[in-house]
Amino acid sequence: MAEQDNPDREELPVDPALRARIGDFLLDVAHAIDDDRLEAWPQFFTERATYRITTRENEEAGLPVGIMACASRGMLEDRINALRTANIFEPHTYCHLLGPSRLRLVAPDLVAARTNFSVIRTMQNGESILFAAGRYQDEIVIGREQPLLRSRTVVLESRRIDVLLVIPI
């Protein structure tokens, strides 16, 4: 069980203003991807952030190896640069559908969030499919300005992954 999902951990209350701020932030992260503002996407992460995509099966088994792992904002920027300049793939777009987030204040400046999501992928020919479903397990640093992701683990429900995992989820 992921630590942030542990119901026995003491929780500090999350006030409504902070809840709204985090909710808007998480929507902004998803919209940057959906609106093809991919160069802006890494700016939602701290410099030393981690981003990992794995499956529910691997997560429940405690297996650290996943589908993808990035260990810094620079690696996320490199991923976007490669997507724009080196990768060859059929053009497509995403539409994220986010559920309400379960938030837990773990320190005065750190919030753990679990947000369920679905991603609809639309290909250039107009075909749309459910591309991915799962949950984001986030650690969000709260500062004076914009919140930032210290870590994001994307836990996919299915272990069947389409080869077109080129755009961040």
Side-chain angles (χ1 to χ4, degrees):
M1 176 185 300
E3 185 168 316
Q4 71 181 22
D5 293 332
N6 185 346
D8 297 329
R9 291 241 4 204
E10 182 177 333
E11 293 187 22
L12 302 171
V14 177
D15 70 71
L18 179 57
R19 183 171 298 284
R21 186 175 174 206
I22 296 295
D24 287 347
F25 169 73
L26 293 172
L27 287 171
D28 289 344
V29 175
H31 291 171
I33 296 168
D34 293 350
D35 297 343
D36 194 33
R37 293 182 296 107
L38 299 178
E39 287 73 15
W41 178 72
Q43 301 311 308
F44 291 104
F45 292 81
T46 63
E47 287 291 332
R48 297 176 59 180
T50 60
Y51 175 77
R52 185 170 70 99
I53 301 175
T54 190
T55 64
R56 176 190 277 259
E57 183 176 56
N58 281 1
E59 192 73 0
E60 289 176 353
L63 299 174
V65 176
I67 297 164
M68 175 187 307
C70 295
S72 69
R73 182 190 295 170
M75 288 180 76
L76 298 174
E77 291 167 346
D78 288 346
R79 175 177 158 81
I80 299 305
N81 187 44
L83 179 151
R84 295 290 196 207
T85 61
N87 294 352
I88 299 172
F89 59 93
E90 184 178 354
H92 59 282
T93 59
Y94 288 168
C95 178
H96 283 74
L97 306 173
L98 303 181
S101 299
R102 169 64 67 200
L103 303 180
R104 185 169 48 82
L105 192 61
V106 295
D109 65 344
L110 185 65
V111 172
R114 175 191 168 152
T115 309
N116 290 347
F117 70 87
S118 297
V119 176
I120 308 297
R121 181 182 69 191
T122 302
M123 303 305 290
Q124 195 170 18
N125 68 4
E127 177 188 10
S128 293
I129 63 163
L130 176 62
F131 178 66
R135 69 182 184 267
Y136 294 125
Q137 294 176 181
D138 296 328
E139 292 180 342
I140 304 166
V141 177
I142 306 303
R144 289 192 174 126
E145 296 182 23
Q146 170 179 297
L148 293 173
L149 288 160
R150 181 171 84 174
S151 73
R152 169 164 275 187
T153 300
V154 180
V155 181
L156 301 172
E157 284 296 307
S158 175
R159 66 180 176 199
R160 289 189 57 199
I161 307 302
D162 192 301
V163 72
L164 275 179
L165 184 57
V166 64
I167 297 172
I169 293 181

